């Protein structure tokens, strides 16, 4: 199920589906951050916790990432939103309740999706990127080529930088999200600073919940991983009923 999904460009997306309870109509889609893939520990850990309570999951690698088709230098937030759109449409044929969990840049994808682009029933942002253009400026400065953080499989492209600049900040979109929304962010996160979560939560509606973790880094290393899943899994179980 959900193993042969192609995006609008015809590129096959690498996905990992895990069945929940046989009678369940609930699915959680999990998306990664920049330079990531579906097998990042933060996504695998949460998927395992959801499986234990009977919720089906679909971990996905966006096009150009992991084993998905496409090229990394064409990977942008805007394109990943379109990838997610196709995945949600395919999932709607089998599940009536669908949530999306986005980590880091995948969190930006989730905000755009849930603020009116894609029909979702719940949203979770894990260390979610909000100040998109600021992130690109801080991390890459005036660079327009080379590799992201020295990773030779992840070339820095003008296409990516231009998309970040055009998106700017997602703060105002926070007010357009009406579905249940959980934001979890680590205070010492030095990749996507804590102000990203704080700023957008100020605009969020009454269905949003913010959990700030004083010990969690950007990827929720060590004990922070268990604490994150202990918050996110029960919250998803409650809000997908």
């Amino acid at each position: 199920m959900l193993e042969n999904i192609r995006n609008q460009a015809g590129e096959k997306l690498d996905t990992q589906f895990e069945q929940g309870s046989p009678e369940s109509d609930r699915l959680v889609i999990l998306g990664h951050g920049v330079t990531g893939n579906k097998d990042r520990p933060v996504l695998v850990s949460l998927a395992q916790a959801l499986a234990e309570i009977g919720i089906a999951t679909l971990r996905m690698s966006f096009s150009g990432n992991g084993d998905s088709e496409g090229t990394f230098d064409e990977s942008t937030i805007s394109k990943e939103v379109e990838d997610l759109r196709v995945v949600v449409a395919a999932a709607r044929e089998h599940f009536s309740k669908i949530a999306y969990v986005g980590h880091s840049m995948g969190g930006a994808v989730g905000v755009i999706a849930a603020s009116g682009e894609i029909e979702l029933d719940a949203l979770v942002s894990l260390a979610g990127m909000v100040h998109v253009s600021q992130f690109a400026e801080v991390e890459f400065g005036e660079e327009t080529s080379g590799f992201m953080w020295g990773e030779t499989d992840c070339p820095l492209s003008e296409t990516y930088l231009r998309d970040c600049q055009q998106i700017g900040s997602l703060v105002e979109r926070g007010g357009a999200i009406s579905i249940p929304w959980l934001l979890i962010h680590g205070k010492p996160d030095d990749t996507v600073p804590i102000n990203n979560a704080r700023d957008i939560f100020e605009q969020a509606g009454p269905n949003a919940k913010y959990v700030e973790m004083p010990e969690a880094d950007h990827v929720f290393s060590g004990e922070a991983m268990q604490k994150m899943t202990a918050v996110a899994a029960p919250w998803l179980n409650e809000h997908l009923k």
Side-chain angles (χ1 to χ4, degrees):
M1 184 185 294
L2 301 176
E3 294 177 344
N4 189 25
I5 303 174
R6 293 184 179 273
N7 65 10
Q8 292 184 333
E11 298 159 341
K12 185 177 180 180
L13 302 177
D14 180 34
T15 59
Q16 179 65 48
F17 175 74
E18 299 293 342
Q19 181 67 57
S21 300
E23 70 280 3
S24 177
D25 64 348
R26 302 181 295 170
L27 175 73
V28 175
I29 300 168
L30 300 102
H32 59 83
V34 63
T35 74
N37 56 63
K38 68 177 177 56
D39 296 321
R40 283 294 169 94
V42 65
L43 303 185
V44 174
S45 177
L46 181 53
Q48 291 173 340
L50 291 168
E52 291 175 0
I53 54 177
I55 299 177
T57 62
L58 184 74
R59 290 182 283 117
M60 62 179 292
S61 293
F62 292 109
S63 54
N65 293 266
D67 290 329
S68 288
E69 294 180 356
T71 60
F72 184 84
D73 56 6
E74 294 181 349
S75 296
T76 66
I77 292 172
S78 296
K79 187 181 180 186
E80 292 181 358
V81 171
E82 296 308 311
D83 288 352
L84 180 60
R85 188 189 308 279
V86 171
V87 171
V88 171
R92 285 288 177 197
E93 298 180 9
H94 306 279
F95 297 91
S96 62
K97 293 288 187 179
I98 298 176
Y100 172 72
V101 176
H103 175 245
S104 191
M105 195 171 90
V109 172
V111 168
I112 294 173
S115 61
E117 294 284 334
I118 299 172
E119 181 186 356
L120 295 168
D121 298 291
L123 173 68
V124 177
S125 300
L126 301 177
M129 186 188 299
V130 173
H131 299 304
V132 175
S133 58
Q134 184 181 79
F135 169 83
E137 291 167 4
V138 169
E139 294 295 329
F140 308 116
E142 297 182 359
E143 296 179 42
T144 57
S145 62
F147 302 100
M148 292 184 176
W149 303 294
E151 297 188 30
T152 55
D153 290 335
C154 302
L156 178 65
S157 69
E158 291 188 15
T159 301
Y160 171 80
L161 295 172
R162 183 166 57 251
D163 188 67
C164 288
Q165 187 63 38
Q166 290 174 346
I167 292 172
S169 174
L170 298 174
V171 166
E172 291 187 2
R173 286 183 177 259
I177 297 177
S178 58
I179 60 174
W181 181 18
L182 173 64
L183 302 91
I184 305 178
H185 214 110
K187 191 172 182 180
D189 190 334
D190 59 0
T191 302
V192 177
I194 192 70
N195 71 303
N196 283 253
R198 291 172 176 172
D199 291 348
I200 199 168
F201 181 67
E202 288 183 0
Q203 304 298 317
N207 289 327
K209 177 181 179 179
Y210 175 45
V211 176
E212 190 168 298
M213 298 181 63
E215 75 285 4
D217 61 11
H218 185 61
V219 296
F220 298 93
S221 301
E223 293 183 2
M225 188 84 70
Q226 294 179 337
K227 292 181 179 179
M228 179 275 291
T229 58
V231 173
W235 185 92
L236 284 161
N237 190 34
E238 176 183 356
H239 289 89
L240 285 181
K241 289 183 178 177

